[in-house]
PDB file of all heavy atoms in Angstrom:
ATOM      1  N   PHE A 446       2.270   5.845  26.781  1.00 63.00           N
ATOM      2  CA  PHE A 446       1.962   5.949  28.207  1.00 63.00           C
ATOM      3  C   PHE A 446       2.835   5.064  29.095  1.00 63.00           C
ATOM      4  O   PHE A 446       2.540   4.851  30.249  1.00 63.00           O
ATOM      5  CB  PHE A 446       0.484   5.584  28.444  1.00 63.00           C
ATOM      6  CG  PHE A 446      -0.461   6.462  27.685  1.00 63.00           C
ATOM      7  CD1 PHE A 446      -1.215   5.955  26.638  1.00 63.00           C
ATOM      8  CD2 PHE A 446      -0.599   7.801  28.005  1.00 63.00           C
ATOM      9  CE1 PHE A 446      -2.083   6.759  25.930  1.00 63.00           C
ATOM     10  CE2 PHE A 446      -1.466   8.613  27.298  1.00 63.00           C
ATOM     11  CZ  PHE A 446      -2.214   8.098  26.255  1.00 63.00           C
ATOM     12  N   ARG A 447       3.886   4.503  28.529  1.00 62.00           N
ATOM     13  CA  ARG A 447       4.734   3.643  29.341  1.00 62.00           C
ATOM     14  C   ARG A 447       6.191   4.016  29.136  1.00 62.00           C
ATOM     15  O   ARG A 447       6.575   4.484  28.073  1.00 62.00           O
ATOM     16  CB  ARG A 447       4.534   2.177  28.951  1.00 62.00           C
ATOM     17  CG  ARG A 447       3.168   1.664  29.324  1.00 62.00           C
ATOM     18  CD  ARG A 447       2.863   0.400  28.558  1.00 62.00           C
ATOM     19  NE  ARG A 447       3.479  -0.769  29.134  1.00 62.00           N
ATOM     20  CZ  ARG A 447       3.469  -1.965  28.551  1.00 62.00           C
ATOM     21  NH1 ARG A 447       2.880  -2.133  27.406  1.00 62.00           N
ATOM     22  NH2 ARG A 447       4.031  -2.994  29.129  1.00 62.00           N
ATOM     23  N   ASP A 448       6.985   3.738  30.170  1.00 63.00           N
ATOM     24  CA  ASP A 448       8.407   3.993  30.076  1.00 63.00           C
ATOM     25  C   ASP A 448       9.040   2.820  29.321  1.00 63.00           C
ATOM     26  O   ASP A 448       9.062   1.693  29.817  1.00 63.00           O
ATOM     27  CB  ASP A 448       8.987   4.115  31.491  1.00 63.00           C
ATOM     28  CG  ASP A 448      10.458   4.497  31.465  1.00 63.00           C
ATOM     29  OD1 ASP A 448      11.045   4.406  30.365  1.00 63.00           O
ATOM     30  OD2 ASP A 448      10.992   4.867  32.514  1.00 63.00           O
ATOM     31  N   ALA A 449       9.546   3.094  28.135  1.00 60.00           N
ATOM     32  CA  ALA A 449      10.069   2.024  27.265  1.00 60.00           C
ATOM     33  C   ALA A 449      11.193   1.235  27.931  1.00 60.00           C
ATOM     34  O   ALA A 449      11.287   0.021  27.782  1.00 60.00           O
ATOM     35  CB  ALA A 449      10.545   2.615  25.951  1.00 60.00           C
ATOM     36  N   SER A 450      12.034   1.934  28.725  1.00 62.00           N
ATOM     37  CA  SER A 450      13.159   1.235  29.334  1.00 62.00           C
ATOM     38  C   SER A 450      12.673   0.202  30.354  1.00 62.00           C
ATOM     39  O   SER A 450      13.202  -0.901  30.463  1.00 62.00           O
ATOM     40  CB  SER A 450      14.097   2.236  30.008  1.00 62.00           C
ATOM     41  OG  SER A 450      13.380   2.951  31.001  1.00 62.00           O
ATOM     42  N   VAL A 451      11.602   0.552  31.081  1.00 58.00           N
ATOM     43  CA  VAL A 451      11.054  -0.368  32.085  1.00 58.00           C
ATOM     44  C   VAL A 451      10.452  -1.581  31.382  1.00 58.00           C
ATOM     45  O   VAL A 451      10.659  -2.727  31.775  1.00 58.00           O
ATOM     46  CB  VAL A 451       9.973   0.334  32.945  1.00 58.00           C
ATOM     47  CG1 VAL A 451       9.311  -0.654  33.894  1.00 58.00           C
ATOM     48  CG2 VAL A 451      10.606   1.474  33.719  1.00 58.00           C
ATOM     49  N   VAL A 452       9.707  -1.314  30.289  1.00 57.00           N
ATOM     50  CA  VAL A 452       9.064  -2.399  29.536  1.00 57.00           C
ATOM     51  C   VAL A 452      10.118  -3.359  29.008  1.00 57.00           C
ATOM     52  O   VAL A 452       9.989  -4.573  29.143  1.00 57.00           O
ATOM     53  CB  VAL A 452       8.226  -1.830  28.365  1.00 57.00           C
ATOM     54  CG1 VAL A 452       7.656  -2.963  27.535  1.00 57.00           C
ATOM     55  CG2 VAL A 452       7.102  -0.980  28.906  1.00 57.00           C
ATOM     56  N   THR A 453      11.189  -2.798  28.464  1.00 56.00           N
ATOM     57  CA  THR A 453      12.253  -3.633  27.909  1.00 56.00           C
ATOM     58  C   THR A 453      12.848  -4.520  28.996  1.00 56.00           C
ATOM     59  O   THR A 453      13.074  -5.706  28.779  1.00 56.00           O
ATOM     60  CB  THR A 453      13.370  -2.743  27.298  1.00 56.00           C
ATOM     61  OG1 THR A 453      12.754  -1.796  26.447  1.00 56.00           O
ATOM     62  CG2 THR A 453      14.331  -3.593  26.499  1.00 56.00           C
ATOM     63  N   THR A 454      13.081  -3.922  30.185  1.00 50.00           N
ATOM     64  CA  THR A 454      13.677  -4.673  31.279  1.00 50.00           C
ATOM     65  C   THR A 454      12.793  -5.852  31.675  1.00 50.00           C
ATOM     66  O   THR A 454      13.266  -6.974  31.839  1.00 50.00           O
ATOM     67  CB  THR A 454      13.874  -3.750  32.515  1.00 50.00           C
ATOM     68  OG1 THR A 454      14.524  -2.589  32.080  1.00 50.00           O
ATOM     69  CG2 THR A 454      14.687  -4.448  33.580  1.00 50.00           C
ATOM     70  N   VAL A 455      11.484  -5.575  31.777  1.00 51.00           N
ATOM     71  CA  VAL A 455      10.545  -6.628  32.164  1.00 51.00           C
ATOM     72  C   VAL A 455      10.552  -7.739  31.122  1.00 51.00           C
ATOM     73  O   VAL A 455      10.625  -8.921  31.455  1.00 51.00           O
ATOM     74  CB  VAL A 455       9.116  -6.045  32.326  1.00 51.00           C
ATOM     75  CG1 VAL A 455       8.106  -7.175  32.528  1.00 51.00           C
ATOM     76  CG2 VAL A 455       9.068  -5.083  33.494  1.00 51.00           C
ATOM     77  N   GLU A 456      10.519  -7.352  29.841  1.00 54.00           N
ATOM     78  CA  GLU A 456      10.495  -8.355  28.775  1.00 54.00           C
ATOM     79  C   GLU A 456      11.800  -9.163  28.754  1.00 54.00           C
ATOM     80  O   GLU A 456      11.785 -10.373  28.548  1.00 54.00           O
ATOM     81  CB  GLU A 456      10.259  -7.664  27.426  1.00 54.00           C
ATOM     82  CG  GLU A 456       8.793  -7.302  27.242  1.00 54.00           C
ATOM     83  CD  GLU A 456       8.545  -6.360  26.078  1.00 54.00           C
ATOM     84  OE1 GLU A 456       9.519  -5.940  25.431  1.00 54.00           O
ATOM     85  OE2 GLU A 456       7.370  -6.030  25.847  1.00 54.00           O
ATOM     86  N   GLN A 457      12.926  -8.467  29.035  1.00 57.00           N
ATOM     87  CA  GLN A 457      14.209  -9.170  29.063  1.00 57.00           C
ATOM     88  C   GLN A 457      14.260 -10.154  30.223  1.00 57.00           C
ATOM     89  O   GLN A 457      14.762 -11.261  30.090  1.00 57.00           O
ATOM     90  CB  GLN A 457      15.365  -8.172  29.206  1.00 57.00           C
ATOM     91  CG  GLN A 457      15.725  -7.533  27.874  1.00 57.00           C
ATOM     92  CD  GLN A 457      16.653  -6.355  28.040  1.00 57.00           C
ATOM     93  OE1 GLN A 457      16.878  -5.875  29.150  1.00 57.00           O
ATOM     94  NE2 GLN A 457      17.184  -5.867  26.931  1.00 57.00           N
TER      95      GLN A 457
END
Side-chain angles (χ1 to χ4, degrees):
Chain A
F446 301 112
R447 292 162 80 187
D448 185 347
S450 59
V451 175
V452 176
T453 310
T454 310
V455 172
E456 282 168 357
Q457 279 168 349

